[in-house]
Amino acid sequence: MPEIKFYKQQQIPMEMHKVRIVQKLNLLPVDERLARMKEAGFNTFQLRNRDIFLDGLTDSGVNAMSDRMEAAMLQADDAYAGSESFFRMEKKLQEIFGINYVLPAHQGRACENILAERFVKPGNCVIMNYHFTTAKAHITRVGGHVEELVSDAGLVAKSDLPFKGDIDLKKLEDCIIKETPENVAFLRMEAGTNLIGGQPVSYGNFKAATDIAKKYGILTVLDASLLQDNLYFLKTRDESMKDKTIREITRMVADCFDLVYFSARKFGFARGGAILVRDEDMFHSMEDFIPMFEGFLTYGGMSVREIEAMTVGFEESMDFDVISQGPQFVKYCVDALDAYGIPVITPAGGLGAHLYASDFCSHIPQEQYPAGALVCALYICGGIRGMERGTLSEERNPDGSERMANVEMVRIAFPRRVFTLSQTEYIIDRVKWLYDHRDLIGGLRFVHEPATLRFFTGKLEPIGDWPDKLAAAYKADFGEDQ
C-alpha cells in the first residue's frame, strides 16, 4: 500500500491497525523514579516494569500480537511429541524461506548456543558484519573468536548511507586468507545490525559476501532476527527491489545462505526461535542438541501456543503494511531529534531511535560509560526505559582492561504496534529537555560486575551526585509530580 499523504499538515506515520485491547500505564513522580533507579543499581534491566512509563528497552518479545495471532493460540496441540502446531510452523517456514529442515528453539540465543556447540572449536574464527552480544558470548565461551568486518562507513554516526550494515568484502576475503578457510567456523551475517543502530544490509552485499565464503568452502549463516526491518529497507531503499514483493525479497536473501536462524521474539512477534538447515546431513548432526538443551524436536522449549501465534506472525511479516510500522515510527522520532540538533544515528534504522551518546555526553570519558549514564538519565527525566548499547555492553579484554565499543549509543526501542504517536512525541520532548541539560549528566562505575553479559545483571553507582542535581533541575521545570 502506498504511503498515506496528508492535505494540510506535516507528513506523519499512519498506523495500519486499530487498538482493541489496552494496558494502563503508570508515570511515577520524578523523585520516585530517582529512587527506583538507585535501587536498580543504575541498570535499566533491573527496573521493575510497574515503575516504567514507556518501555523502550527492547522490541524482543514485547511486540503487540494481532487478533489472528491471539486466535491461533486456541488451536494449539499440546502433544509432547508430534505436535501438529510444530508441523504447521514448519510448513510455513519452508514456504517462506525455501529451506526444508527446521529445528525449534526457545529463542535466538538458544540457537546461537547450538551453533557454537556444533561448529566452533577452540581457536576457530567466526566472521561477522557486526556482533550481537549473545552471539559473541557463545562463540567465545567455547574458545572461538569473532572478527567484525562491517564497512568503515557503517560506523559513522551521522550519514545518509542506506545500507550501513554491509560487510567490507575486501576485508572479508583478506580475513579468510589470514585465518585460513579451515579455521573459519562460519560467516554470520546479521540482517538489521543491532549494535550499530539497526542498520540494514543490501542484497548485493548478502550475495557477494556469501559467494566469497562459498568459494572457500565456508558455511554461511544468516541471523534473521531483525530480517523484517531489513526487508522493509530493501523494498524502500534499493531501486532493484521496488517492484518485488516482500515474499520474493525474503526468498532471494534466504537463497544466499546455508543456514538461517532467528529469534521469533523479533521476527514473528512471539516468543520462540528456530534454526533452518538446508543440508540433511547437517540437520541430523544438529538435531540431538534440541532435546539436550531445549526440549523435544516438535516443541523445542516453546509453548505450543506461542508456536501457533508465531506461525501467523511469520505470514504477517510478509505484509509490507505490517512491517512498515516500526521503521516509520523510528524515522519520525529520529528526524525530529535530528532537526533539533540532537546527536542521533542516521539514517534511521530499525529497532528504535538511537541516541549517539559519544556526542550527547561528550564530557563523560568512555571508561565511565556515557551511554550507560545517558540511559539512566532518560529514565529519571521521563520514566522512559531505553537500553545502553556501548562499552558497558562489551566484555573486558583477557587482561582485565576495558574493550571500548566502536559506537556509544542509547537505544529507545519501538516495539511493533505498541506506542502511539502522542507517546512518541512525549519521548521526543523529554529527550530534547535532557539534551539541553546534558552537562548535568555524569559518569558511572561498577560496584558488581559479572564476568559475562555484565549489562544484564551488573550494578553501578554514579560518580558524584549528578542524578540528584538532574532530578532537581527537572522538577524546577516540570514540577514534582512529573
Side-chain angles (χ1 to χ4, degrees), residues 8 23 72 80 104 179 202 278 282 284 329 357 383 392 395 450 455 469:
K8 286 192 174 182
Q23 186 176 37
Y80 180 91
E179 291 283 345
S202 66
R278 202 173 292 280
M282 183 178 293
H284 288 307
F329 267 68
L392 200 151
E395 294 181 0
F455 64 93
K469 292 178 179 177

Side-chain angles (χ1 to χ4, degrees), residues 324-344:
S324 67
Q325 297 299 285
Q328 286 180 5
F329 267 68
V330 171
K331 184 178 187 302
Y332 180 86
C333 182
V334 167
D335 287 350
L337 296 175
D338 187 41
Y340 195 74
I342 295 170
V344 285

Side-chain angles (χ1 to χ4, degrees), residues 269-466:
F269 304 119
R271 294 174 179 85
I275 305 172
L276 314 182
V277 189
R278 202 173 292 280
D279 179 78
E280 183 177 5
D281 290 338
M282 183 178 293
F283 167 78
H284 288 307
S285 77
M286 300 171 68
E287 63 184 344
D288 59 327
F289 288 111
I290 302 301
M292 183 181 298
F293 291 125
E294 297 297 302
F296 192 66
L297 290 166
T298 52
Y299 78 93
M302 289 182 281
S303 157
V304 287
R305 292 165 182 78
E306 295 282 0
I307 290 174
E308 292 286 4
M310 62 197 268
T311 300
V312 176
F314 297 144
E315 179 61 31
E316 291 183 354
S317 293
M318 296 296 102
D319 184 335
F320 182 75
D321 284 345
V322 172
I323 66 173
S324 67
Q325 297 299 285
Q328 286 180 5
F329 267 68
V330 171
K331 184 178 187 302
Y332 180 86
C333 182
V334 167
D335 287 350
L337 296 175
D338 187 41
Y340 195 74
I342 295 170
V344 285
I345 303 297
T346 60
L351 271 169
H354 293 77
L355 309 180
Y356 187 46
S358 300
D359 284 357
F360 199 116
C361 297
S362 58
H363 58 287
I364 301 176
Q366 196 169 7
E367 60 270 18
Q368 293 181 13
Y369 313 120
L374 177 56
V375 78
C376 294
L378 181 63
Y379 173 74
I380 294 169
C381 296
I384 303 160
R385 177 161 68 166
M387 186 189 293
E388 188 272 356
R389 301 277 71 171
T391 297
L392 200 151
S393 292
E394 295 282 350
E395 294 181 0
R396 289 185 181 270
N397 294 310
D399 64 1
S401 61
E402 284 283 8
R403 179 183 285 115
M404 299 299 180
N406 291 319
V407 185
E408 293 281 345
M409 301 183 306
V410 165
R411 183 180 78 200
I412 307 172
F414 277 75
R416 306 304 185 263
R417 303 179 286 205
V418 172
F419 290 154
T420 65
L421 195 59
S422 65
Q423 290 165 342
T424 303
E425 290 286 4
Y426 174 85
I427 292 170
I428 293 166
D429 181 79
R430 291 310 189 258
V431 174
K432 288 178 178 179
W433 183 91
L434 189 56
Y435 183 65
D436 288 342
H437 296 79
R438 61 192 180 276
D439 291 344
L440 293 174
I441 306 171
L444 299 172
R445 57 181 166 234
F446 271 103
V447 294
H448 166 62
E449 183 177 353
T452 304
L453 299 175
R454 60 185 182 174
F455 64 93
F456 279 137
T457 57
K459 295 291 185 75
L460 300 100
E461 65 181 6
I463 299 172
D465 62 351
W466 65 262

Side-chain angles (χ1 to χ4, degrees), residues 46-122:
Q46 298 299 309
L47 289 167
R48 297 183 63 164
N49 192 52
R50 70 183 186 186
D51 299 328
I52 294 160
F53 182 48
L54 298 177
D55 195 356
L57 182 76
T58 182
D59 67 336
S60 181
V62 294
N63 299 294
M65 292 200 297
S66 70
D67 53 353
R68 292 178 175 84
M69 293 175 71
E70 294 277 0
M73 296 173 80
L74 296 176
Q75 66 175 340
D77 176 4
D78 282 323
Y80 180 91
S83 168
E84 290 302 319
S85 295
F86 170 78
F87 293 113
R88 282 189 280 270
M89 180 186 79
E90 180 185 56
K91 182 179 179 181
K92 179 56 65 176
L93 288 170
Q94 290 168 341
E95 172 196 322
I96 291 173
F97 288 95
I99 300 175
N100 283 335
Y101 302 101
V102 178
L103 294 168
H106 79 274
Q107 67 181 94
R109 72 193 57 169
C111 301
E112 292 163 348
N113 172 56
I114 291 167
L115 294 178
E117 290 285 342
R118 169 62 180 83
F119 296 110
V120 182
K121 304 293 186 293

Side-chain angles (χ1 to χ4, degrees), residues 130-133 148 190 192-198 351 354 388-390 393-394 407 409 411:
Y130 209 75
H131 82 280
F132 184 63
T133 49
E148 299 172 307
E190 182 181 328
T193 43
N194 194 314
L195 296 183
I196 60 170
L351 271 169
H354 293 77
E388 188 272 356
R389 301 277 71 171
S393 292
E394 295 282 350
V407 185
M409 301 183 306
R411 183 180 78 200

